[in-house]
Amino acid sequence: MKKLPVGISNLRKIIEEGYAYVDKSRFVHKLDQMGTYYFLSRPRRFGKSLLIDTLKEAFEGNKELFSNLWLHNHWDWEKHHPVIHISFGGGVIRSREELDQRIRDILHTNETNLAVTCRQPNDIPGYFGELIRNSAKKYGLRAVILIDEYDKPILDNISEHARAWEIREGLKNLYSVVKDNDADIRFALLTGVSKFSKVSLFSGLNNLTDITLEPEYSAICGYSEPEMTQIFSDYLGNKSLEDIRKWYNGYAWLGQKVYNPFSILNYLRTGTFRNYWFETGTPGFLINLLEKRKYYIPGIEHIQASEALIGAFEVDFIEPENLLFQAGYLTIEHAQRVAGKTFYTLGYPNMEVKASLSDYILSRYSHDKVMKEKVQLKIYQAFQEKNPDALKTIFQSLFSSIPHDWYRKNKLSQYEGYYASVFYCYFTALGLDVTPEDTTSHGRIDMTVQLDDNKVYIFEFKVVDIDKTPGTALAQIRQKGYADKFREKSDEIYLVGVEFDRNQRNIIRFEWEQLKKHEGLSAR
């Protein structure tokens, strides 16, 4: 049984130390044959650095590492290209001065590794350009440029607009060199989490091919299910593939769905379903943006977005949908071409991301983190005991416990979606099967929660000082016939109407009825 390569992004270490490896070398050949300049965006911890390292080893001609890989018989191993490898993955840069010094250090490392001499170490564009030309001249082959985490210095400072702008200009100063040295460049790939516009960061590099949403490259990073089940079969044993798929599969870029390597490898290591990827980085800026825009959190489930909206963004213009997609919290469910434009439906890729993001948002909504954990446990117990009255008590107590000063400082509770969002986040953070805006032939249900024991809860929410529609929330569920959709497949159906008053900052009416299969309603 080969070792699991958890967090390892060095091909030589994987091969020489006997780690399991999902062979992606076919993509190396494809990229080399199809073009010269490429850009690829993928979420963090998704295998971008390993892809970069694999390209580096191939272009350097290190044939022995590929003896059991596809590329071994499909590459010219006589050629040893000079490879300039730039990575901003380590550390946090907090100023333009720090960035410039980091760039000089990286270029100096490459200068030493390539055994060339450059005369302009203080002039970054001059230094980089000279490094490209001198290395190509020394090796007699055009240089290969591999840039990993190209955007990390900007993203680390994205909440500080002025600083982020300065760092962006510093990176632009570096990347602009590429276009002026085309004669000495054989291949170039830039990878990162986000996609900044070519105008703002890659001025003049108009021939940079973005393969992020090209279907044939959808599995260039990450593991497809056939790859995962074949390479890691020894670790799967009698584990439920359906559950594994639900928790960790689902990322898609208009092509084959893939697993996040970091998450699935950690699951195979421990055998425990939990959050692995999300805890390696917290989306503070994203949560601040959602709060600022008063985003209706259940609406994250099925976002309709244009190609432009989820495409490149600027330091001073970032939309929640764009950030949610590019950072990996949402993925493409399907695409539709409309009158010359492409529109995408975005959704959570899997349960890990859905539950983890909801839990993180819930922490922002909660004034007391310890209480949040206790409330989650009580909610789970209420569902297990089939006790909607307990849910009423739990949420009324929760809202009552929030200090007035918290409401004064946080404007979240002033928008209509706040209360429904709290319910949604508590339910999804528990890993329950929650569907907001559940479509029926009679309309859209605010929220459904389907349990493993073939029971379903139908929720309708109403803020009475905003929604003046006659009748109670429960009455609307009855009138719309929302339960009809579930009568055949669910043994027990619970209809729950919840009404809020923003002035009282709490639930003012909580009514429910139970409908058993082939039986009438019993009210509470």
Side-chain angles (χ1 to χ4, degrees), residues 53-228:
D53 194 66
T54 304
L55 283 159
K56 176 179 178 293
E57 298 289 359
F59 277 110
E60 286 181 342
N62 295 317
K63 181 180 179 180
E64 72 279 4
L65 297 179
F66 296 83
S67 59
N68 295 315
L69 303 183
W70 183 90
L71 193 66
H72 185 265
N73 296 323
H74 302 85
W75 195 257
D76 185 354
W77 297 107
E78 298 301 317
K79 293 182 178 179
H80 300 268
H81 288 270
V83 176
I84 299 172
H85 180 210
I86 297 172
S87 175
F88 293 106
V92 177
I93 295 169
R94 291 302 186 193
S95 69
R96 172 66 183 272
E97 291 73 22
E98 287 184 18
L99 173 66
D100 287 349
Q101 186 56 51
R102 178 71 60 82
I103 292 173
R104 292 189 193 96
D105 291 342
I106 291 172
L107 295 179
H108 177 69
T109 298
N110 279 275
E111 179 184 1
T112 301
N113 292 341
L114 294 168
V116 297
T117 301
C118 299
R119 297 174 297 174
Q120 304 181 65
N122 294 320
D123 174 24
I124 288 175
Y127 195 178
F128 189 20
E130 194 175 9
L131 181 62
I132 294 170
R133 294 188 296 272
N134 289 357
S135 61
K137 182 178 180 180
K138 176 180 174 64
Y139 286 77
L141 292 170
R142 293 173 179 172
V144 171
I145 300 174
L146 303 174
I147 302 178
D148 194 16
E149 304 287 1
Y150 89 98
D151 55 343
K152 186 174 182 293
I154 303 175
L155 297 180
D156 283 343
N157 296 277
I158 199 68
S159 60
E160 300 292 335
H161 178 267
R163 187 192 301 164
W165 186 89
E166 284 186 356
I167 289 176
R168 185 196 70 180
E169 292 303 296
L171 290 172
K172 184 177 180 180
N173 192 40
L174 175 69
Y175 302 146
S176 63
V177 174
V178 175
K179 68 181 177 65
D180 291 330
N181 289 274
D182 180 67
D184 293 302
I185 296 174
R186 170 66 185 85
F187 180 92
L189 172 65
L190 290 82
T191 72
V193 169
S194 61
K195 179 186 175 184
F196 287 90
S197 72
K198 290 182 181 180
V199 174
S200 68
L201 201 51
F202 306 117
S203 178
L205 198 56
N206 296 320
N207 56 345
L208 191 66
T209 302
D210 182 4
I211 60 173
T212 300
L213 294 181
E214 292 191 8
E216 60 266 41
Y217 292 105
S218 185
I220 192 171
C221 294
Y223 303 151
S224 68
E225 189 158 296
E227 289 173 334
M228 190 272 292

Side-chain angles (χ1 to χ4, degrees), residues 46-57:
F46 224 90
K48 300 186 298 295
S49 297
L50 180 56
L51 172 65
I52 288 284
D53 194 66
T54 304
L55 283 159
K56 176 179 178 293
E57 298 289 359

Side-chain angles (χ1 to χ4, degrees), residues 171-399:
L171 290 172
K172 184 177 180 180
N173 192 40
L174 175 69
Y175 302 146
S176 63
V177 174
V178 175
K179 68 181 177 65
D180 291 330
N181 289 274
D182 180 67
D184 293 302
I185 296 174
R186 170 66 185 85
F187 180 92
L189 172 65
L190 290 82
T191 72
V193 169
S194 61
K195 179 186 175 184
F196 287 90
S197 72
K198 290 182 181 180
V199 174
S200 68
L201 201 51
F202 306 117
S203 178
L205 198 56
N206 296 320
N207 56 345
L208 191 66
T209 302
D210 182 4
I211 60 173
T212 300
L213 294 181
E214 292 191 8
E216 60 266 41
Y217 292 105
S218 185
I220 192 171
C221 294
Y223 303 151
S224 68
E225 189 158 296
E227 289 173 334
M228 190 272 292
T229 55
Q230 178 186 352
I231 302 301
F232 304 107
S233 58
D234 290 341
Y235 288 90
L236 289 172
N238 60 356
K239 293 180 174 66
S240 168
L241 188 58
E242 182 180 352
D243 288 340
I244 294 173
R245 189 182 299 124
K246 176 182 176 182
W247 267 86
Y248 301 116
N249 197 9
Y251 295 90
W253 288 272
L254 299 180
Q256 192 174 21
K257 290 184 178 180
V258 294
Y259 289 83
N260 180 321
F262 188 77
S263 295
I264 189 62
L265 290 176
N266 273 287
Y267 166 74
L268 294 175
R269 178 179 61 85
T270 65
T272 302
F273 289 108
R274 54 164 293 196
N275 155 35
Y276 297 104
W277 172 75
F278 195 89
E279 67 184 10
T280 64
T282 52
F285 177 75
L286 170 61
I287 305 303
N288 290 337
L289 187 60
L290 294 174
E291 180 179 343
K292 180 180 179 181
R293 301 293 176 85
K294 293 182 171 59
Y295 211 90
Y296 180 58
I297 303 305
I300 292 176
E301 289 258 3
H302 299 290
I303 291 176
Q304 301 291 325
S306 68
E307 190 171 14
L309 185 58
I310 68 170
F313 61 72
E314 303 286 355
V315 168
D316 52 357
F317 183 76
I318 302 176
E319 293 296 324
E321 295 84 355
N322 185 300
L323 195 58
L324 282 162
F325 171 68
Q326 293 197 17
Y329 302 111
L330 295 180
T331 195
I332 296 175
E333 293 182 342
H334 66 264
Q336 182 180 11
R337 193 75 177 167
V338 179
K341 296 185 69 175
T342 302
F343 291 86
Y344 301 106
T345 299
L346 309 178
Y348 289 113
N350 51 50
M351 184 59 71
E352 180 192 26
V353 177
K354 181 177 179 178
S356 301
L357 182 60
S358 296
D359 192 61
Y360 194 83
I361 294 173
L362 190 58
S363 295
R364 180 62 64 91
Y365 282 176
S366 304
H367 73 290
D368 187 329
K369 306 301 185 291
V370 175
M371 175 178 286
K372 184 200 79 170
E373 302 298 328
K374 292 180 178 179
V375 167
Q376 285 179 306
L377 179 58
K378 290 179 180 179
I379 290 171
Y380 181 78
Q381 291 172 339
F383 278 122
Q384 291 295 304
E385 296 168 1
K386 299 183 288 186
N387 188 355
D389 285 326
L391 290 177
K392 173 184 178 181
T393 302
I394 291 165
F395 280 102
Q396 280 188 325
S397 297
L398 171 67
F399 290 121

